[in-house]
Amino acid sequence: EQVRAYEIFLRQPDEQDPDAAGPQVRASHILYSPNDDVDGAAELPDDDPAWAAAQTEADATVAELEAISDGEDRAEQFAELARDESDDAGSGARGGDLQWFHRGRMVEPFANAVFDGEHARNDIIGPVKSDFGYHVILYVGNRPGIEERPARADFSALAELYSDDPNASDGGEIGWVARYQEAKEVEDRLFALQPGQVSEVVELEDGFHIYKVTERTQRELTPEQRREIEEVAFTNWFAQR
Protein backbone atom coordinates (compact mmCIF):
# COMPACT_ATOMS: atom_id res chain seq x y z
CA GLU A 1 0.00 0.00 0.00
CA GLN A 2 1.21 3.48 -0.86
CA VAL A 3 -0.01 7.05 -0.47
CA ARG A 4 0.60 9.99 -2.77
CA ALA A 5 1.69 12.77 -0.45
CA TYR A 6 2.35 16.49 -0.39
CA GLU A 7 4.12 18.56 2.26
CA ILE A 8 4.49 22.10 3.51
CA PHE A 9 7.60 22.56 5.63
CA LEU A 10 8.35 25.64 7.73
CA ARG A 11 11.88 25.67 9.08
CA GLN A 12 12.23 26.09 12.83
CA PRO A 13 13.12 29.76 13.43
CA ASP A 14 16.39 30.52 15.17
CA GLU A 15 15.39 32.21 18.42
CA GLN A 16 18.77 33.95 18.53
CA ASP A 17 18.14 35.60 15.15
CA PRO A 18 15.63 38.47 15.30
CA ASP A 19 15.06 38.24 11.52
CA ALA A 20 14.22 34.52 11.52
CA ALA A 21 10.44 34.93 11.42
CA GLY A 22 10.52 38.01 9.21
CA PRO A 23 10.19 38.53 5.44
CA GLN A 24 12.10 36.18 3.17
CA VAL A 25 13.61 36.27 -0.30
CA ARG A 26 14.36 33.47 -2.72
CA ALA A 27 17.36 34.00 -4.95
CA SER A 28 20.17 32.20 -6.74
CA HIS A 29 23.77 33.28 -7.04
CA ILE A 30 26.97 32.61 -8.91
CA LEU A 31 30.02 33.27 -6.76
CA TYR A 32 33.33 34.34 -8.28
CA SER A 33 35.99 34.13 -5.58
CA PRO A 34 39.52 35.46 -6.08
CA ASN A 35 41.72 32.55 -7.13
CA ASP A 36 38.54 30.41 -6.99
CA ASP A 37 39.24 30.11 -3.25
CA VAL A 38 36.16 30.89 -1.13
CA ASP A 39 37.89 30.28 2.19
CA GLY A 40 40.97 32.35 1.37
CA ALA A 41 39.20 35.37 -0.11
CA ALA A 42 38.86 37.28 3.16
CA GLU A 43 42.62 37.11 3.73
CA LEU A 44 43.50 38.79 0.43
CA PRO A 45 44.05 42.56 0.40
CA ASP A 46 41.62 44.54 -1.73
CA ASP A 47 44.33 45.50 -4.20
CA ASP A 48 45.32 41.90 -4.92
CA PRO A 49 44.97 41.28 -8.69
CA ALA A 50 42.85 38.21 -7.98
CA TRP A 51 40.01 40.47 -6.81
CA ALA A 52 40.07 42.39 -10.08
CA ALA A 53 40.10 39.14 -12.04
CA ALA A 54 37.08 37.84 -10.09
CA GLN A 55 35.21 41.09 -10.74
CA THR A 56 35.97 40.88 -14.45
CA GLU A 57 34.47 37.38 -14.56
CA ALA A 58 31.40 38.55 -12.65
CA ASP A 59 30.93 41.60 -14.89
CA ALA A 60 31.09 39.42 -17.99
CA THR A 61 28.43 37.09 -16.58
CA VAL A 62 26.14 40.01 -15.72
CA ALA A 63 26.50 41.36 -19.26
CA GLU A 64 25.75 37.95 -20.77
CA LEU A 65 22.65 37.44 -18.63
CA GLU A 66 21.25 40.95 -19.01
CA ALA A 67 21.48 40.54 -22.78
CA ILE A 68 18.81 37.82 -22.53
CA SER A 69 15.45 39.59 -22.66
CA ASP A 70 13.19 36.66 -21.74
CA GLY A 71 13.19 36.12 -17.97
CA GLU A 72 12.73 32.36 -18.07
CA ASP A 73 15.49 31.93 -20.65
CA ARG A 74 17.71 34.12 -18.47
CA ALA A 75 16.99 31.95 -15.43
CA GLU A 76 17.78 28.80 -17.41
CA GLN A 77 21.10 30.19 -18.61
CA PHE A 78 21.85 31.44 -15.08
CA ALA A 79 21.42 27.92 -13.69
CA GLU A 80 23.73 26.48 -16.34
CA LEU A 81 26.42 29.05 -15.59
CA ALA A 82 26.07 28.47 -11.85
CA ARG A 83 26.65 24.74 -12.28
CA ASP A 84 29.69 25.36 -14.50
CA GLU A 85 31.32 28.39 -12.89
CA SER A 86 30.20 29.12 -9.34
CA ASP A 87 32.80 28.77 -6.59
CA ASP A 88 29.97 27.99 -4.16
CA ALA A 89 29.88 24.26 -4.86
CA GLY A 90 26.77 23.59 -2.75
CA SER A 91 24.40 26.03 -4.41
CA GLY A 92 26.18 25.65 -7.74
CA ALA A 93 25.08 22.02 -7.95
CA ARG A 94 21.49 23.28 -7.62
CA GLY A 95 21.90 25.85 -10.38
CA GLY A 96 22.78 28.52 -7.83
CA ASP A 97 19.54 28.14 -5.86
CA LEU A 98 19.81 29.44 -2.29
CA GLN A 99 16.16 28.57 -1.58
CA TRP A 100 14.23 30.81 0.85
CA PHE A 101 16.21 32.83 3.37
CA HIS A 102 15.66 35.68 5.80
CA ARG A 103 17.89 38.71 6.02
CA GLY A 104 20.03 37.45 8.89
CA ARG A 105 21.16 34.33 7.04
CA MET A 106 23.16 36.31 4.47
CA VAL A 107 26.23 38.49 4.78
CA GLU A 108 25.30 42.17 4.93
CA PRO A 109 26.24 43.26 1.37
CA PHE A 110 24.28 40.35 -0.12
CA ALA A 111 21.28 40.91 2.17
CA ASN A 112 21.18 44.63 1.42
CA ALA A 113 21.25 43.96 -2.30
CA VAL A 114 18.25 41.62 -2.35
CA PHE A 115 16.10 42.98 0.49
CA ASP A 116 16.44 46.70 -0.26
CA GLY A 117 14.84 48.33 -3.29
CA GLU A 118 12.36 46.93 -5.81
CA HIS A 119 13.19 43.79 -7.76
CA ALA A 120 11.20 41.69 -10.22
CA ARG A 121 11.34 37.96 -10.85
CA ASN A 122 14.48 36.94 -12.77
CA ASP A 123 16.15 40.35 -12.38
CA ILE A 124 19.94 40.24 -12.25
CA ILE A 125 21.52 42.02 -9.26
CA GLY A 126 25.20 42.80 -8.91
CA PRO A 127 27.96 41.98 -8.98
CA VAL A 128 27.88 42.35 -5.21
CA LYS A 129 31.18 42.14 -3.35
CA SER A 130 31.45 40.29 -0.03
CA ASP A 131 34.32 38.73 1.89
CA PHE A 132 33.80 35.60 -0.22
CA GLY A 133 34.02 37.17 -3.67
CA TYR A 134 31.68 38.73 -6.19
CA HIS A 135 28.07 37.51 -6.28
CA VAL A 136 25.96 37.60 -9.41
CA ILE A 137 22.40 37.25 -8.14
CA LEU A 138 19.18 36.09 -9.78
CA TYR A 139 16.17 37.43 -7.88
CA VAL A 140 13.30 34.93 -7.74
CA GLY A 141 10.75 36.39 -5.34
CA ASN A 142 9.80 37.35 -1.79
CA ARG A 143 7.25 36.34 0.81
CA PRO A 144 6.05 37.79 4.12
CA GLY A 145 7.13 36.60 7.55
CA ILE A 146 5.60 33.51 9.12
CA GLU A 147 2.96 35.38 11.13
CA GLU A 148 1.68 37.22 8.03
CA ARG A 149 1.22 34.17 5.83
CA PRO A 150 -2.40 33.27 5.01
CA ALA A 151 -3.95 30.46 7.02
CA ARG A 152 -6.22 29.08 4.28
CA ALA A 153 -5.55 28.59 0.57
CA ASP A 154 -4.95 25.84 -1.96
CA PHE A 155 -2.41 23.43 -0.46
CA SER A 156 -0.11 23.26 -3.50
CA ALA A 157 -0.20 27.02 -3.98
CA LEU A 158 0.74 27.57 -0.35
CA ALA A 159 3.55 25.03 -0.64
CA GLU A 160 4.96 26.73 -3.71
CA LEU A 161 4.83 30.14 -2.08
CA TYR A 162 5.84 29.40 1.48
CA SER A 163 7.37 25.95 2.01
CA ASP A 164 11.06 25.78 2.89
CA ASP A 165 11.42 22.33 1.34
CA PRO A 166 13.10 21.86 -2.06
CA ASN A 167 9.88 20.24 -3.37
CA ALA A 168 8.04 23.57 -2.91
CA SER A 169 8.38 24.40 -6.61
CA ASP A 170 6.39 21.22 -7.36
CA GLY A 171 3.52 22.29 -5.11
CA GLY A 172 4.99 20.38 -2.17
CA GLU A 173 4.68 17.00 -3.86
CA ILE A 174 6.65 14.24 -2.14
CA GLY A 175 5.30 11.59 -4.51
CA TRP A 176 4.28 8.04 -3.73
CA VAL A 177 5.34 6.82 -0.30
CA ALA A 178 5.42 3.20 0.86
CA ARG A 179 5.67 1.76 4.35
CA TYR A 180 9.14 2.06 5.92
CA GLN A 181 10.24 4.55 3.26
CA GLU A 182 9.96 7.46 5.70
CA ALA A 183 10.75 7.81 9.40
CA LYS A 184 8.06 6.47 11.72
CA GLU A 185 6.76 9.87 12.83
CA VAL A 186 6.21 10.84 9.18
CA GLU A 187 4.83 7.46 8.09
CA ASP A 188 2.30 7.45 10.93
CA ARG A 189 0.89 10.81 9.82
CA LEU A 190 0.77 9.93 6.14
CA PHE A 191 -0.93 6.56 6.51
CA ALA A 192 -3.46 7.97 8.96
CA LEU A 193 -4.79 10.22 6.19
CA GLN A 194 -7.42 9.37 3.62
CA PRO A 195 -7.37 10.98 0.14
CA GLY A 196 -8.14 14.68 0.42
CA GLN A 197 -7.25 14.94 4.10
CA VAL A 198 -4.63 17.28 5.56
CA SER A 199 -2.70 16.56 8.75
CA GLU A 200 -2.43 18.73 11.80
CA VAL A 201 0.82 20.65 12.14
CA VAL A 202 3.59 18.15 12.98
CA GLU A 203 6.56 19.52 14.91
CA LEU A 204 9.80 17.65 14.20
CA GLU A 205 13.39 18.51 15.07
CA ASP A 206 13.92 20.62 11.94
CA GLY A 207 10.66 22.58 12.02
CA PHE A 208 6.95 22.31 11.32
CA HIS A 209 5.39 20.01 8.70
CA ILE A 210 1.89 19.75 7.24
CA TYR A 211 1.01 16.74 5.08
CA LYS A 212 -1.71 16.06 2.55
CA VAL A 213 -2.63 12.76 0.88
CA THR A 214 -4.39 12.82 -2.50
CA GLU A 215 -4.39 9.12 -3.42
CA ARG A 216 -4.05 5.76 -1.68
CA THR A 217 -3.66 2.44 -3.48
CA GLN A 218 -1.74 -0.80 -3.91
CA ARG A 219 1.09 -0.30 -6.42
CA GLU A 220 4.50 -1.68 -7.30
CA LEU A 221 7.59 0.03 -5.95
CA THR A 222 9.53 2.13 -8.44
CA PRO A 223 13.28 1.42 -8.76
CA GLU A 224 13.98 4.67 -6.87
CA GLN A 225 11.63 3.70 -4.05
CA ARG A 226 13.24 0.27 -3.84
CA ARG A 227 16.69 1.86 -3.51
CA GLU A 228 15.45 4.20 -0.77
CA ILE A 229 13.79 1.41 1.16
CA GLU A 230 16.87 -0.80 0.91
CA GLU A 231 18.85 2.03 2.50
CA VAL A 232 16.49 3.00 5.32
CA ALA A 233 13.84 0.32 5.80
CA PHE A 234 15.57 -1.62 8.56
CA THR A 235 16.30 1.54 10.57
CA ASN A 236 12.72 2.72 10.16
CA TRP A 237 11.29 -0.71 10.96
CA PHE A 238 13.51 -1.13 14.02
CA ALA A 239 12.40 2.27 15.34
CA GLN A 240 8.84 0.95 15.42
CA ARG A 241 9.61 -2.15 17.51
Side-chain angles (χ1 to χ4, degrees):
E1 184 181 25
Q2 297 187 38
V3 295
R4 188 172 185 179
Y6 293 72
E7 175 185 26
I8 296 174
F9 166 53
L10 301 179
R11 186 177 289 107
Q12 179 75 267
D14 181 355
E15 295 181 358
Q16 304 302 314
D17 186 345
D19 295 325
Q24 297 185 352
V25 161
R26 187 162 191 172
S28 300
H29 83 146
I30 304 171
L31 177 62
Y32 293 96
S33 297
N35 299 320
D36 300 320
D37 181 8
V38 177
D39 296 329
E43 304 301 323
L44 286 178
D46 289 341
D47 59 356
D48 190 290
W51 277 107
Q55 183 175 11
T56 297
E57 287 185 280
D59 286 339
T61 294
V62 168
E64 176 182 346
L65 292 168
E66 289 187 337
I68 302 173
S69 58
D70 182 82
E72 295 305 315
D73 290 344
R74 185 186 306 128
E76 185 175 336
Q77 178 64 9
F78 187 100
E80 184 174 334
L81 289 171
R83 285 188 286 267
D84 291 342
E85 299 184 7
S86 182
D87 291 319
D88 178 357
S91 69
R94 301 189 299 270
D97 186 13
L98 296 169
Q99 301 179 17
W100 291 102
F101 55 86
H102 59 268
R103 192 173 196 124
R105 283 188 61 200
M106 295 297 166
V107 293
E108 186 174 354
F110 192 107
N112 290 344
V114 298
F115 279 92
D116 296 343
E118 297 293 328
H119 306 294
R121 181 178 175 84
N122 294 328
D123 276 355
I124 298 298
I125 303 172
V128 175
K129 185 181 180 184
S130 76
D131 286 343
F132 303 105
Y134 284 92
H135 306 260
V136 178
I137 303 168
L138 179 77
Y139 187 87
V140 178
N142 62 74
R143 65 186 186 184
I146 292 174
E147 293 182 357
E148 299 176 33
R149 298 178 194 175
R152 298 184 64 84
D154 174 77
F155 191 96
S156 292
L158 282 175
E160 187 169 356
L161 284 171
Y162 301 130
S163 180
D164 291 320
D165 198 89
N167 61 20
S169 59
D170 297 320
E173 182 170 9
I174 300 172
W176 287 100
V177 179
R179 296 280 186 181
Y180 304 121
Q181 190 176 343
E182 298 284 347
K184 174 175 168 50
E185 57 265 34
V186 175
E187 178 188 313
D188 286 348
R189 268 71 175 198
L190 292 178
F191 281 88
L193 298 173
Q194 296 301 318
Q197 291 185 329
V198 176
S199 74
E200 299 293 329
V201 177
V202 180
E203 183 175 1
L204 303 177
E205 290 184 1
D206 57 352
F208 302 91
H209 301 252
I210 304 170
Y211 299 101
K212 180 178 181 179
V213 165
T214 59
E215 298 179 64
R216 187 169 182 149
T217 189
Q218 300 284 334
R219 65 191 301 273
E220 293 292 328
L221 296 173
T222 66
E224 183 178 356
Q225 282 181 305
R226 186 173 297 277
R227 284 193 298 271
E228 290 180 358
I229 291 173
E230 287 173 349
E231 292 175 359
V232 303
F234 178 77
T235 301
N236 291 341
W237 169 81
F238 189 77
Q240 299 184 32
R241 306 307 294 169

